[in-house]
């Protein structure tokens, strides 16, 4: 038979945690697995700004015809400004263009095929560790994947090792950097670190590809764009992937963008012709709904300000949960050991817990997190911090 030789592969470990959590009947369970934001009720809410924009769309939308290969033009203009800044010189010079993609993952996938087809022979450098799908996307596209150290076995950011490795990268290679809220570790580069990365990028003539999936979850919507804008102003060429999954709560609507910055408007037009062609073979044209919602929000000052407040509320809740967890670990004598949770940014924390401790947390305390020790802090229930701290203390002392 045709299919006889096909075996089974394991399911995705991050998405698999969603199912395992859902089928656990323990009412005291904790979902610290997949990177979705949860509010104080444990729900992943649809922001009010999104609901209002959706209502407007239902009332006013007249067609569901295809949108072009680069997607919704208003979305493209507004996301460009959100990422690069409304006063960006690149935008004024028509050197930055947005291609709408199905989520941030779609943008990564598009960048992978773009590099493979238009920049043949270039390898890509990923942080060790990084989001596991970075590894498979670029390998699947046929790129040589290498790693630069980022967080060592002591669970500390190691910028010196990162820079030393990147200084050895072949000229012209691509380096994937996390703009903020590094997934999975939560450890971000300081402004000085970014300037040093920029020096190496110049020296080795590397092409940065910045994954910007968590704008607004670190230090704020504008603050989180600092490194992206530094690179955009100092380099003639740059790739940026942006996601609206988390900051607009549009997870299931698959809304994202690949932004290309080129040396001039004409070169950008060449590149965009290639991207439209590659996208046509991947998904033809992107889904409309999420991008129409984002364009409606960002194009209306009132909705935009409501949305910005909602993002800020999510950001602050995460920051409070971080501080709260460290505090709850204090009576167990573990506040110092886990002080990094308060320093890290965004949804994720590399806790430093071993795979065995993660397993024990899951098996005996119904606490679900990725086996690497990555916890989604945004999934913590603030009213049960003591219970979580208790469980962590038990596995640490076992
Ligand atoms: C995560 O890392 O948990 C998120 O980015 C969701 C995903 O697709 O893995």
């Amino acid at each position: 038979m045709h299919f006889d030789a096909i075996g089974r592969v394991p399911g995705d470990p991050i998405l698999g945690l969603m199912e395992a959590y859902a089928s656990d009947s323990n009412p005291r369970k904790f979902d610290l697995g997949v990177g979705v934001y949860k509010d104080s009720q444990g729900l992943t809410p649809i922001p009010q700004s999104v609901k209002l924009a959706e209502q407007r769309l239902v009332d006013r939308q007249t067609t569901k015809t295809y949108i072009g290969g680069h997607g919704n033009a208003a979305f493209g203009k507004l996301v460009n400004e959100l990422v690069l800044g409304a006063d960006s010189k690149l935008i004024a010079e028509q050197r930055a263009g947005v291609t709408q993609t199905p989520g941030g993952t779609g943008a990564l996938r598009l960048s992978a095929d773009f590099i493979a087809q238009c920049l043949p022979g270039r390898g890509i450098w990923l942080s060790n560790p990084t989001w596991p799908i970075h590894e498979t996307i670029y390998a699947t596209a046929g790129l040589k994947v290498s790693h630069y150290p980022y967080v060592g076995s002591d669970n500390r950011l190691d910028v010196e090792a990162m820079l030393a490795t990147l200084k050895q990268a072949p000229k012209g290679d691509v380096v994937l950097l996390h703009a903020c809220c590094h997934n999975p570790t939560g450890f971000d580069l300081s402004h000085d670190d970014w300037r040093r990365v920029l020096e190496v990028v110049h020296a080795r003539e590397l092409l940065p590809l910045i994954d910007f999936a968590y704008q607004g979850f670190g230090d704020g919507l504008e603050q989180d764009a600092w490194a992206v804008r530094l690179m955009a102003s100092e380099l003639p060429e740059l790739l940026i992937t942006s996601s609206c999954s988390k900051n607009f709560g549009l997870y299931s609507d698959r809304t994202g963008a690949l932004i290309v910055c080129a040396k001039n408007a004409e070169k950008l037009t060449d590149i965009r012709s290639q991207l439209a062609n590659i996208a046509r073979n991947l998904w033809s044209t992107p889904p409309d709904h999420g991008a129409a919602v984002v364009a409606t929000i960002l194009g209306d000052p009132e909705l935009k300000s409501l949305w910005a407040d909602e993002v800020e509320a999510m950001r602050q809740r995460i920051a409070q949960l971080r501080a709260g967890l460290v505090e709850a670990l204090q009576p167990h004598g573990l506040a110092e050991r886990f002080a990094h949770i308060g320093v890290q940014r965004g949804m994720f924390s590399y806790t430093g817990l071993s795979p065995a401790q993660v397993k024990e947390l899951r098996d005996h305390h119904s606490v679900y997190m990725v086996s690497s020790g990555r916890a989604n802090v945004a999934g913590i229930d603030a009213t049960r911090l003591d219970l979580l701290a208790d469980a962590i203390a038990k596995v640490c002392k076992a």
Side-chain angles (χ1 to χ4, degrees):
M1 300 298 284
H2 295 295
F3 300 154
D4 280 358
I6 301 175
R8 200 171 300 177
V9 294
D12 181 84
I14 296 181
L15 297 182
L17 280 174
M18 280 180 109
E19 286 159 37
Y21 173 80
S23 58
D24 186 335
S25 58
N26 182 352
R28 289 148 68 99
K29 60 189 177 178
F30 282 92
D31 181 7
L32 315 185
V34 69
V36 292
Y37 175 83
K38 293 197 181 188
D39 64 13
S40 54
Q41 317 297 313
L43 301 171
T44 302
I46 302 174
Q48 217 195 328
S49 51
V50 168
K51 273 287 187 200
L52 291 169
E54 286 186 314
Q55 194 56 57
R56 248 184 236 182
L57 287 171
V58 169
D59 293 343
R60 298 185 192 164
Q61 216 168 32
T62 53
T63 179
K64 285 202 180 280
T65 187
Y66 294 122
I67 53 175
H70 294 290
N72 180 317
F75 169 85
K77 175 180 178 297
L78 294 161
V79 167
N80 227 356
E81 291 174 3
L82 182 68
V83 170
L84 294 172
D87 55 356
S88 159
K89 208 163 141 257
L90 271 90
I91 296 178
E93 292 169 359
Q94 298 181 331
R95 288 177 42 215
V98 169
T99 299
Q100 187 194 317
T101 56
T105 309
L108 294 164
R109 188 73 187 82
L110 182 60
S111 77
D113 277 11
F114 169 70
I115 296 163
Q117 292 178 30
C118 299
L119 302 170
R122 312 293 181 101
I124 188 161
W125 292 78
L126 307 178
S127 64
N128 182 18
T130 194
W131 185 48
I133 310 306
H134 285 152
E135 310 276 353
T136 47
I137 281 183
Y138 294 99
T140 303
L143 269 65
K144 175 168 187 267
V145 176
S146 309
H147 298 91
Y148 58 85
Y150 192 74
V151 166
S153 51
D154 57 353
N155 204 22
R156 280 184 205 191
L157 180 62
D158 192 348
V159 182
E160 300 308 326
M162 170 185 182
L163 295 173
T165 301
L166 289 180
K167 278 181 192 158
Q168 311 294 322
K171 283 203 171 176
D173 268 8
V174 180
V175 54
L176 191 150
L177 301 158
H178 300 228
C180 64
C181 310
H182 184 270
N183 181 3
T185 68
F187 285 110
D188 282 346
L189 299 175
S190 69
H191 288 189
D192 273 352
D193 296 336
W194 275 105
R195 287 196 192 92
R196 294 178 70 200
V197 171
L198 182 61
E199 274 172 30
V200 178
V201 163
H202 272 304
R204 300 304 303 162
E205 295 166 24
L206 302 175
L207 173 63
L209 190 173
I210 308 188
D211 189 354
F212 198 11
Y214 298 92
Q215 184 173 5
F217 277 36
D219 291 318
L221 283 165
E222 291 295 304
Q223 292 87 333
D224 289 350
W226 186 88
V228 172
R229 293 176 191 174
L230 172 78
M231 293 277 167
S233 66
E234 298 289 328
L235 295 167
E237 296 170 322
L238 185 64
L239 298 171
I240 305 157
T241 58
S242 162
S243 171
C244 303
S245 296
K246 328 277 166 167
N247 50 12
F248 285 87
L250 286 168
Y251 304 88
S252 62
D253 284 317
R254 312 307 301 135
T255 311
L258 175 64
I259 304 179
V260 177
C261 305
K263 66 175 185 186
N264 59 41
E266 204 190 325
K267 189 45 67 189
L268 182 65
T269 306
D270 294 341
I271 295 166
R272 284 170 67 72
S273 73
Q274 300 281 351
L275 291 177
N277 191 36
I278 297 167
R280 176 76 166 138
N281 285 286
L282 286 169
W283 48 72
S284 189
T285 58
D288 177 50
H289 181 74
V293 169
V294 170
T296 305
I297 293 172
L298 295 181
D300 178 300
E302 249 175 64
L303 281 182
K304 185 174 176 186
S305 138
L306 171 62
W307 168 73
D309 288 349
E310 292 184 287
V311 177
E312 181 58 16
M314 291 194 276
R315 189 187 78 76
Q316 285 188 13
R317 184 178 133 75
I318 296 171
Q320 281 159 12
L321 286 167
R322 287 186 176 282
L325 181 55
V326 177
E327 208 182 301
L329 286 160
Q330 176 90 49
H332 301 281
L334 290 172
E336 206 176 314
R337 171 162 169 196
F338 288 100
H340 53 270
I341 294 176
V343 174
Q344 295 158 333
R345 284 285 178 277
M347 287 177 139
F348 302 120
S349 169
Y350 231 34
T351 56
L353 293 167
S354 69
Q357 288 170 326
V358 170
K359 185 170 179 323
E360 199 177 326
L361 273 174
R362 175 176 159 168
D363 293 349
H364 298 293
H365 305 277
S366 293
V367 176
Y368 290 78
M369 64 174 79
V370 182
S371 62
S372 61
R374 186 195 83 168
N376 173 21
V377 179
I380 297 176
D381 174 356
T383 63
R384 295 188 298 137
L385 278 167
D386 289 343
L387 195 64
L388 179 61
D390 209 51
I392 293 174
K394 282 200 176 104
V395 306
C396 286
K397 283 170 190 160

